[in-house]
Amino acid sequence: MNQHRPSSSLAALTLGALGVVYGDIGTSPLYALKEVFAHGHVPLTPQNIYGVLSLVFWTLTVVVSVKYVVLILRADNNGEGGLIAMLALASQAVKDRPVLRRRLLMVGIFGTAIFFGDGVITPAITVLGAIEGLEVAAPGLHHYIVPLSLVVLTLLFLVQRHGTATVGKLFGPVMVLWFAVLAVLGLSQIVTNPAVLAALSPHYALDFLLGHPAIAFIALGSIVLCVTGAEALYADMGHFGKRPIRLAWFSLAMPALVLNYFGQGAMLLAHPENVKNPFYEMAPPWAVYPLIGLATLAAVIASQALITAAFSVTKQAMQLGYLPRLRILHTSVRETGQVYVPFVNWGLYACIVLAVVTFGSSSKLAAAYGIAVTIDMLITTTMTFFVIRYGWKYPWPLSMAATGFFFLVDFTYFSANVIKVFDGGWFPVVIGGVMFMIMMTWKQGRRLMAERLREDAIDLKSFLDAVFVSPPTRVAGTAVFLVSEQGLTPNALLHNLKHNKVLHETNLFVTVKLHEVPWIGFEKRCEMEPLGRDCWQVTVHFGFKNEPDVPEALNFLRTRGCQMDDMETSYFLSRDIVIPTFGSGMASWREKLFAGMHRNAAAAADFLSLPTNRVVELGSKVEI
C-alpha cells in the first residue's frame, strides 16, 4: 500500500478504519471489566482494581500497540493482511521444508476455522452487551433483552444481501461518536478520583500477578476480552493501509478505551455496588437510553465487520482449495471485495441465534469468547516467527526475541481461558473443530480425486498425436477445455470426440491455478504453449483475492497469436460424480461427506465466470 497519500485521503481512510477495524475492540468496554469482577472470583478491593486496570492498560499496550500495530502490520502479503495472508506468507517461507509446511498449513487452517467461531460469538456478545443496559435503566425489562437482541441480529442478517456500501459510510462517524462518548464517560469518573491514573504504572500489574497469582490467573481470562478484535487490525490492512490503522489507534481508539476502562475503575472504587454493569452505571440516568441506542449501533458495526470478514475469508479459503465452491454474490459494481455468501450468512445466523438462546447473556458468552480470541492470537504469533525467520531471513535469536515474548503473553492468556472450556469455551472450539474437519476433508478429498483422475488420464500431447494420424472433422470456432492438471487429456475432450466425432478449429486446454498470494497482475495472468495444429496449452493464474474470470484472462492470448471470437467460443467442463468406495482413501463417513459437498458445490462455470449460454458439461464418475 502506498503510505504517502494526500491528507484528505489519509483522513478518509483513518475514519474508515475507525468504523471497520476498531468496531470489535471498541465495544469491549461493554463487558470486559465487568467480567473480571462479576462472578466473585476476583475480590472487589482497591488493590485488585488497581492491579486489573494496570493489566488492562499494559495488555492493550503490549498486545495491540506493540505486537499488532508495530510488528504484525509489517508482515504484509503484497499489501494484504489477515490469517490467510499470514498463512500464505509462512507456507511460502518454508516451502523447501515440506513436513514443516504441511504442519504450518494445518495450524493456519485450524486458526481460520476458529475464526468462524469468533464470527459467531462477536455479534452475539456485543449485541447482548449493548442491550443489557436496559437492566440498568429499568430492571423490569430484563426479560426483553434476549428477544430484542434476536430482533436486532435478524435485521442485521436480512440486510446483508444488499451489501454494506451504503451503511458502511455511516460506520466511521458513528464510531468516532462512540469513542468520544467512551472518553467522556471515563473522564467524568476519573476527575472525581484522579488517583486511579496511578494504575498506568506497571508495578501495580506486577504486584497483582505476583501477590495473588491464583486470583490473577483467573482475572486474566476476562482481562483478555479488552483486546478482542485486535486481529482486525491485521486482517483489514489491505483495505486501509498501515498508516491509517496506526493513526486511528493511537489518536483516538486507544486513548478512548484507556479513559473508559480507568473511568469504570474509578467508579468502582467509589461505588463497588455498581459492579454488575459498570459501563452503563457511569452514565447519568437521563443518558442511559440514548447510550443503549448508540451502543447497539456500535455493536451492529462490530458485528458487520466480522460478518463481512467471514464472507471474505470463505471466498479466500475456497480459492485456496479448502472449501467447496459456494454461491457468491457481488454487492458492489466498483469494489470486488464486497461479496455476499448466502450459505455463510444464514449458517452464521443460525449459530448466533443458538448462542444467544443457549447462553442468554454477555457474561455467559464471555468464557466462550476468550478462548476463540486467544487461539487465533497464538497462531498469528507462531506464523509470524516463521515469516521473520525463514521469509525475512533474520537470525534465529532475533526471530525468537521478536516473537517469543508475545508467544509467552498469548499462551498465558490462552491458559487462563482453557479452564473455562466447560463454562462455554467449548462452543467456539466445537464450531472451529467442525469447520476444520470440513476444510481438511475437502482438501484431502480433492487430492484423492486428482490422484484417481491422474491414474486414469492420458498424456495430452501423445493423445493429440494419435488423433491427428486420422484427424476428425474440424468445425468452426474455439473450444476451451478446462482441465484440472496441466498435460492431461480432459474427459470432456474424450466424450466430445466419442459422441460428436468433431474437433474445433481452435482448441485451448486451460488449467486454472490458484496461488498463495493475494493478487496476480494481468501481465502474469496467462502462460501458453503451442501444441501444433491450432491447439494450445494454457495456464491461467489467480491470487486468492483475485476474481477468477477465465474469459477475461483468455482475451490476453489474442496478442500472442491465438485468435478467438467470444461469440464462437464454447467452454467444455467435466462434471465429475464422486463415488465413495472402501479402500485406502479417507474414512467412509469422510468420503461420503466429501461426495455430498462435491455434489452440492456451486457450478464451476459460475466460479470461473464462464458465460452460461456457451458452457457444455459432460459427466463422468470418479471413485475415491
Side-chain angles (χ1 to χ4, degrees), residues 512-515 520 525 540-544 546-550:
V512 175
K513 288 194 174 181
L514 302 167
H515 296 269
I520 290 179
R525 184 59 46 85
V540 182
H541 301 277
F542 296 107
F544 60 77
N546 283 126
E547 196 63 39
D549 191 328
V550 170

Side-chain angles (χ1 to χ4, degrees), residues 396-476:
W396 190 89
L398 183 59
S399 302
M400 280 299 296
T403 56
F405 173 70
F406 298 121
F407 185 89
L408 182 62
V409 171
D410 294 342
F411 187 77
T412 303
Y413 278 119
F414 170 71
S415 302
N417 276 277
V418 165
I419 61 176
K420 299 180 179 181
V421 166
F422 297 107
D423 292 330
W426 57 271
F427 189 74
V429 173
V430 167
I431 293 173
V434 170
M435 283 302 304
F436 180 71
M437 180 268 297
I438 288 172
M439 294 170 84
M440 296 310 296
T441 296
W442 179 256
K443 187 71 172 181
Q444 190 173 350
R446 292 288 298 171
R447 180 179 59 78
L448 291 171
M449 192 172 159
E451 288 174 359
R452 182 52 56 90
L453 288 171
R454 200 179 302 119
E455 288 172 6
D456 300 333
I458 304 168
D459 176 69
L460 178 60
K461 291 182 180 179
S462 303
F463 179 77
L464 290 176
D465 288 340
V467 166
F468 285 109
V469 169
S470 178
T473 303
R474 305 290 289 263
V475 296

